[in-house]
Structures are given as C-alpha cells and as structure tokens.
Amino acid sequence: MVVPYEGQSFSALRRQCQQNGCLFEDPLFPASDQSLFYQSNNIGRVTWKRPKELCSNPHLFVDGISAHDLYQGQLGNCWFVAACSSLASIEALWQKVIPDWKDQEWDEKNPESYAGIFHFRFWQFGKWVDIVIDDRLPTANGELVYCHSNDSNEFWSALVEKAYAKLYGCYEALDGGNTSDALVDFTGGVSEQMDLTEDGYKEDEDKRNELFERVLKVHNRGGLISCSIKATSAAEMEAKLACGLVKGHAYAVTDVRRVRLGHGLLAYFRSDKLTMIRLRNPWGEREWSGPWSDSSDEWNKVSKSEREKIGVTVQDDGEFWMNFDDFIANFTDLILCRLINTSYLSLHKTWEESVMLGSWHRHDDPLLNRTGGCTNNKHSFLQNPQYVIDVKKPEDEVLICLQQKDRRATLRGGRGENLAIGFDIHRVELNRIYRMHITQQKVGGSTYINSRSVFVRIDLKEGRYVIIPTTFDPGLEGDFLLRIFTDVPSDCKELTLDEPPHTCWSGLCGYPSLVTQVHVLQADGLAGQDSGGVSDPYVIIRCEGKKVRSPVHNNMCSPVFDTKGLFYRNNANQPISIEIYNHNLVADSFLGQVTLRADQGDFQQILHLRDKGNRRDNDLPGTVTVVMRTSSVLTNI
C-alpha cells in the first residue's frame, strides 16, 4: 500500500504545474532555513537553486545508478549515504524508492513537460509513503551543500536526500543516525544489528565461517548490509586509523563473494577460495590500506579475468575489498537488512508474516493500563500489551521485530529522543486465550535500547507463546509495530480480555468460579510399544469437556512433555484427568492415566499411571510428573 505524504499527489501537482506553465514550489518544505535547520543556521548563507541553474544538461542518472554516485556533503549523515550506496547496487530496490524514474527523468525532446517536481517513496511504519518535493536544492558558492554525485549533472542522490529530509522535518534532522533505520526505510525489510566483539566472532573461527555464510545469503537474496567501527568518545568520531579505516563512520557493503585464487585453467580445479567482502566509504575516499587493498600485492594471486569479474579498481574512489577475517578483526558492528520473502512463487525460503499495530497507553485502572515497563517492574510488567503466537512445527526459526514510531521528525519540538524498547517471549498454555497475570516460562527476548527497532532471531519449539513488547521504564506512551515471521502461519493476535466475558448465557450455564493451570512436565518408564522397546507418546489433559493435547514425542519412553493447559471451571467437584497415548498409524493405544481430585489444591507430584478404571490395584508401568495451580480469582493466572 502506498499513501501520499500529507495528501500531496505527485501526478495531480505536476499536471497542475504543466497546465499553468510554472515550476512547482513545495509549500510544505519551503526554500528557507526552516527546511535546513531545527536549531540555528550553522552553515552560513545558503542559496536554493534548481538543477538547471547548476548545469546545462541535468539528469536523474548519468550512465545508470551506482554506489559511486554518492558523496557525503556538509552533514553528518554518513549513515544515510551508506544506506543509499547499498540501495544503488540493487535495481529492484532503488526502483521502489525512485518510482517510474524514466518518466521523472528530464526530457530534452519535450522541455515543456519539466515542472520542477519529483517524488520518492520510503517505507514508514508498515506502509510505503510517497514524498513529493520541488527540485530547489541548497547551495553555497555555487556548489551543492549536501549529498551530491561525482557527475555535476547527476541529481538523483541530492533529490532522494531532500525527500528524506522532508520526511523527517529538515536536513539537520539527518545529522547523526542509524544506518539500520535507513535500510528499513528503503526496503521495508527487517534489520539485525550485530556486535562483532561481544558476540565472539573475533576469536571463534567457526562462528566467523557461519557468519560469512549468513552475510553471503543476505547479499545474494537482495538484502542490504552496512558496518562500522565503534567510537568510544566524541574525539574518536571520524578519526582515521593507521589502516585507513575511519571510526564512528558508516560503510556500505557492496559485494560479498568467494574469490578464486590462481591463474589459468588450473585455477578452476583448485578448491580453495578466499572469503571476501567489498565496502564503500560514503566520502568517496579514504580506503583500507591493508591486505587486499586496491594496489596490494595480494591481487597478484588472482587472475586478471577474476579481478575484472569482481570489479577490482586501483583508484581512491572509496570502494575497496577486504578478506573477511580482516573485516571481522577491524570492524565492530554489522547490520544485516533482510528482505523478507513472502511470495509463494519464489524459489527461495518464504516466510509467513504477522503485522500488529499497537500502543503503550496509560490508564488509572491497572487492568486497562498498557505502560507496565520491563520485567524489573514486577508489579506492572504484565500490564503491557500481549500478543499470542503458535509455533506449529517441532521447531521453527522465528524472526521478531519491534519498531516504535520514529521521533526524528519531532526534534524541532524537543521530543526527538526514542524510547528504550524491547520485548520478552514466554511459553504459555496451549489453550491460553486470555491475558497472562503471572509470569511464565521466559524463553527469549531482546535487549532494551533506545533505537527505532529491536530484532531477535530465535528457534522455538512447537507450542504457544506470548510476546510482550514494553518500554524500559513504566508509564511511557507511544505507538509500535510488531512484525513476526515464521515458516507456517503463527495466527498472531492480541490478548485483550483478562477473563471470560460475562454473557447472557452465564446465568444459565454458570460463570467460572475457579481457574486451574495443569502443567505436565514429563513421564518416565512408559511401556515400549514397538520392536525397539520405545513409544511415540503424547499426553491429553481433560477438564469439564475441554482438552489440551501435546505434540507427539517420537521414540521415547521418558518424554519431556512440558505441556500446560488452562481451564476456567464451573464445577469444582469435577476431576481433571491426564491421559497418555502411544501414536500409531491405525489406532492410538492407551498407555495410562492419572486423575486429579478437585480438592488437591496447588502441588507438584510424581503420580503412578493407572488404567482407565483408575483402580489402585491396576497400576501400569510408568509415572508422570504434574504441577497444578488453582485460583478462585480468575485474573491470578
């Protein structure tokens, strides 16, 4: 879905300008200091000029689009320029950001069609937003102040930057930022930020090899990648190291591949290949000077045809190759922006996506409050929004991204700081449909950080889970977008009710007076049912006509079921049964059961299995470990 920014329609505005014979002047982003700064002018006298006032033959693109078209200007937005460099390398992506670019190009044969108006698209909070701009660009001494191309008559990079500045309020709002955010804005993808030092890649060769495969896969599937070297103080920002790299500076990754060593025909029969990565400095200069830099002797190990194939150039253009081990040794932060493939027609892995819009909002009633803060706030944590998902495979890789609304556009009003956000993942009862009121088994979660988004990739076993997005501190309000990607549909939905609702049937059928949680932990010593002396057991928990069934545990006599059920009970005298069966192709066989009395209260016990008559003299081989918790207050579980 594409929505126009502030209702501005590109086609309508251009047609109006063409009919009136005038050039478009954007009233929402005027050619004045308010579009440049949110604080004060720190550049000096700025003159706004259209491309035709800067050169005689302007174009969006000159000889196509490439990462070499971008040079950072007088603005600390290397994060944005690095993301643009990555964007320029993938045609399918930049054509989304620069829609119908051929129609937007200057037409020398029909100059009357020129209306001084352009439009670009960025992904914002779940939808693509179409941004209209005029082509008046800020200059000083006849030169573009901000992002520009190496070709003086190429303007796509300057115009994209202006549209992005309009989206966030002004150019100064782009001074300092996170490449991860720009990559998501350009693609609608999901960014994973990795700390190469803390995650142990520098010391562990196996982890480095695994990471290279992951980086290569993201690159080959059209994702965008960026990296940087952490600066620990203001003095280190933009500081050049002896190896040529710059601290606190965002680099774009423009290629990832295995490079064949050797010359001639023999090179094709050699199994050893170097793992290599190509990067670009948005400044268009200052390159890596170590092994495999542009003019290093290492390139003599690679044939001329191989060098030409991968585009090795010996010039200070800001682009350079590194061995992946050297890359890991020198860089500290890596951003992988995955394009999540949801097309069933693709040859690559496809994902099922769930998108939930939510908010943290205050309320005096604790049951309606949704600003509980992180788990440090034990009394209020579970007042946050809660979302339930089902993992339907024995194990599934799950991607979870929590994004808050970007506050960069509110810098002028002094409200530009992001909230510190994160989320927890709890494994819950297989039949839970009401909100949690006591914490359960936490199986994962994110760190808390005041970035626009947080991301977790986690393997989850089959079962039901509740994701709880929170701010770090309680009482803070804001909107968020929760995106969940699984291999099969997760049936994600928000848990909004605290307990079963009162209906007209409650008076006839009775309203639940008790809620009981039954947790079957494991069974031991089950009778073997096949030639190998093992079983394929599963457990069923039954209560008042309702049941919960676990997955089948293949080839086990002592399965760890770890299965929970939650039952809202009308009749406190009705027992709860736990039955264990062996799964067969034709008919499942009964392995035993235990019956829990209603008056047993809270307990954890190891119980002997019995036959369906449940007589004490008919004990079957095996035991089952059960935990039961019962509450007369329905919101206590």
Side-chain angles (χ1 to χ4, degrees):
M1 180 176 66
V2 179
V3 297
Y5 179 78
E6 297 293 339
Q8 288 183 307
S9 167
F10 168 74
S11 58
L13 289 169
R14 183 171 69 167
R15 185 168 55 251
Q16 182 180 342
C17 289
Q18 290 170 340
Q19 291 171 350
N20 296 336
C22 64
L23 298 180
F24 179 61
E25 294 186 2
D26 186 5
L28 300 184
F29 202 65
S32 65
D33 278 6
Q34 78 176 66
S35 298
L36 296 174
F37 316 106
Y38 67 86
Q39 291 179 324
S40 59
N41 187 331
N42 56 7
I43 292 180
R45 189 168 184 273
V46 172
T47 304
W48 295 78
K49 293 187 176 183
R50 297 184 188 270
K52 282 196 172 183
E53 299 175 274
L54 294 170
C55 67
S56 59
N57 187 27
H59 288 283
L60 267 181
F61 305 120
V62 174
D63 297 326
I65 181 172
S66 79
H68 298 279
D69 297 338
L70 293 123
Y71 290 86
Q72 186 182 341
Q74 298 179 42
L75 190 64
N77 68 338
C78 61
W79 60 279
F80 165 79
V81 180
C84 280
S85 295
S86 296
L87 177 74
S89 64
I90 302 176
E91 183 176 358
L93 296 183
W94 66 255
Q95 288 189 3
K96 275 190 174 181
V97 175
I98 311 174
D100 43 76
W101 61 273
K102 290 182 180 179
D103 182 53
Q104 295 201 71
E105 182 63 87
W106 276 268
D107 188 347
E108 298 175 19
K109 296 181 180 179
N110 299 293
E112 69 279 358
S113 65
Y114 170 67
I117 184 172
F118 292 86
H119 72 129
F120 304 93
R121 289 174 182 169
F122 306 106
W123 190 88
Q124 291 286 291
F125 216 60
K127 57 184 178 289
W128 287 91
V129 178
D130 194 82
I131 308 282
V132 172
I133 59 167
D134 62 42
D135 63 354
R136 295 176 294 178
L137 297 169
T139 70
N141 302 317
E143 302 287 338
L144 290 173
V145 175
Y146 299 127
C147 187
H148 56 280
S149 173
N150 191 40
D151 294 299
S152 60
N153 64 330
E154 183 176 58
F155 289 94
W156 76 266
S157 57
L159 293 170
V160 168
E161 182 186 48
K162 180 176 181 177
Y164 203 65
K166 177 180 176 178
L167 180 66
Y168 287 111
C170 64
Y171 278 91
E172 190 185 2
L174 306 185
D175 189 39
N178 193 327
T179 307
S180 173
D181 295 342
L183 295 176
V184 171
D185 290 344
F186 291 162
T187 64
V190 174
S191 278
E192 178 180 10
Q193 301 185 57
M194 306 177 68
D195 188 318
L196 300 178
T197 303
E198 289 188 4
D199 293 344
Y201 294 103
K202 295 183 185 296
E203 301 83 20
D204 192 325
E205 183 179 359
D206 290 337
K207 290 191 72 171
R208 285 199 301 275
N209 293 337
E210 180 186 332
L211 178 61
F212 178 80
E213 295 299 332
R214 198 187 316 169
V215 172
L216 181 64
K217 183 184 294 185
V218 170
H219 174 74
N220 287 343
R221 294 185 178 179
L224 302 183
I225 306 168
S226 178
C227 57
S228 60
I229 303 171
K230 194 179 274 91
T232 56
S233 67
E236 287 188 348
M237 290 295 293
E238 308 288 335
K240 183 178 180 181
L241 303 176
C243 63
L245 299 175
V246 180
K247 275 194 168 184
H249 188 62
Y251 289 79
V253 174
T254 56
D255 202 356
V256 183
R257 65 174 66 216
R258 288 186 173 85
V259 176
R260 193 184 303 276
L261 295 175
H263 298 264
L265 189 60
L266 289 177
Y268 289 92
F269 295 99
R270 296 184 61 171
S271 59
D272 53 330
K273 293 182 181 180
L274 281 177
T275 53
M276 301 286 284
I277 188 167
R278 188 175 68 192
L279 300 94
R280 186 176 188 276
N281 185 340
W283 289 344
E285 58 182 6
R286 297 198 183 180
E287 299 182 2
W288 161 252
S289 59
W292 300 98
S293 55
D294 283 359
S295 56
S296 68
D297 293 337
E298 280 83 4
W299 287 110
N300 293 327
K301 301 175 184 178
V302 178
S303 68
K304 181 181 178 181
S305 62
E306 185 80 356
R307 291 199 301 271
E308 290 175 350
K309 186 172 74 172
I310 67 175
V312 176
T313 58
V314 184
Q315 52 185 315
D316 190 19
D317 57 2
E319 193 166 54
F320 54 90
W321 286 91
M322 296 180 75
N323 179 282
F324 194 71
D325 283 348
D326 288 333
F327 168 78
I328 295 294
N330 286 275
F331 283 86
T332 60
D333 296 276
L334 177 67
I335 298 170
L336 302 178
C337 182
R338 289 177 171 82
L339 300 185
I340 304 299
N341 180 18
T342 56
S343 170
Y344 292 110
L345 302 177
S346 173
L347 296 176
H348 296 306
K349 176 180 173 62
T350 60
W351 297 84
E352 296 287 343
E353 180 181 20
S354 295
V355 180
M356 309 299 294
L357 281 167
S359 65
W360 297 292
H361 53 271
R362 288 191 290 264
H363 198 283
D364 292 336
D365 184 345
L367 288 179
L368 299 177
N369 182 48
R370 295 294 179 264
T371 59
C374 69
T375 52
N376 295 345
N377 308 281
K378 292 182 172 56
H379 65 288
S380 62
F381 168 67
L382 290 174
Q383 294 173 9
N384 286 294
Q386 299 180 15
Y387 296 87
V388 64
I389 65 169
D390 288 325
V391 174
K392 301 173 183 176
K393 298 171 58 179
E395 188 169 82
D396 197 2
E397 181 183 25
V398 180
L399 311 182
I400 305 172
C401 180
L402 174 66
Q403 178 180 332
Q404 61 183 309
K405 269 200 173 174
D406 202 308
R407 301 192 172 203
R408 185 179 295 272
T410 63
L411 286 167
R412 198 184 302 275
R415 301 182 299 278
E417 288 298 320
N418 286 323
L419 302 173
I421 61 172
F423 58 86
D424 278 3
I425 309 167
H426 289 248
R427 188 171 187 179
V428 298
E429 306 90 350
L430 289 174
N431 61 339
R432 174 170 285 277
I433 56 174
Y434 302 113
R435 288 174 55 84
M436 291 168 51
H437 296 94
I438 59 170
T439 55
Q440 301 212 30
Q441 177 188 0
K442 180 179 175 180
V443 295
S446 72
T447 56
Y448 281 80
I449 187 169
N450 62 342
S451 65
R452 194 176 73 176
S453 63
V454 291
F455 172 86
V456 163
R457 187 184 69 256
I458 187 171
D459 292 326
L460 294 177
K461 294 180 179 179
E462 187 173 354
R464 181 162 288 188
Y465 298 85
V466 168
I467 300 170
I468 306 176
T470 84
T471 58
F472 184 77
D473 294 315
L476 299 178
E477 295 187 302
D479 297 321
F480 62 81
L481 180 73
L482 181 65
R483 304 169 74 192
I484 300 157
F485 302 91
T486 50
D487 194 38
V488 295
S490 65
D491 302 331
C492 180
K493 60 184 178 183
E494 184 177 4
L495 297 178
T496 57
L497 297 178
D498 291 286
E499 59 187 22
H502 290 268
T503 68
C504 59
W505 297 102
S506 298
L508 296 174
C509 304
Y511 187 75
S513 59
L514 293 175
V515 58
T516 298
Q517 182 193 72
V518 181
H519 186 184
V520 180
L521 296 175
Q522 65 187 62
D524 286 297
L526 300 181
Q529 297 292 306
D530 60 24
S531 58
V534 292
S535 298
D536 300 325
Y538 61 90
V539 64
I540 294 178
I541 309 170
R542 299 183 190 272
C543 179
E544 296 187 24
K546 301 291 192 335
K547 70 176 182 179
V548 169
R549 172 176 165 162
S550 77
V552 174
H553 293 252
N554 293 316
N555 298 321
M556 289 187 181
C557 281
S558 297
V560 178
F561 289 121
D562 192 16
T563 296
K564 287 188 282 189
L566 194 65
F567 302 97
Y568 292 85
R569 304 170 62 190
N570 293 322
N571 189 342
N573 296 319
Q574 285 291 321
I576 299 172
S577 69
I578 297 169
E579 303 166 0
I580 299 179
Y581 291 85
N582 179 64
H583 177 65
N584 296 306
L585 290 176
V586 179
D588 294 349
S589 53
F590 174 75
L591 296 182
Q593 73 172 21
V594 297
T595 301
L596 309 179
R597 300 194 317 273
D599 60 355
Q600 284 182 279
D602 296 354
F603 70 87
Q604 174 171 340
Q605 290 182 21
I606 298 175
L607 302 169
H608 286 276
L609 295 173
R610 297 171 181 168
D611 68 13
K612 287 188 177 180
N614 208 34
R615 295 188 300 274
R616 188 170 292 276
D617 58 348
N618 281 345
D619 284 358
L620 296 170
T623 59
V624 61
T625 305
V626 181
V627 178
M628 188 169 83
R629 172 187 170 91
T630 298
S631 173
S632 58
V633 182
L634 301 190
T635 54
N636 273 3
I637 293 183

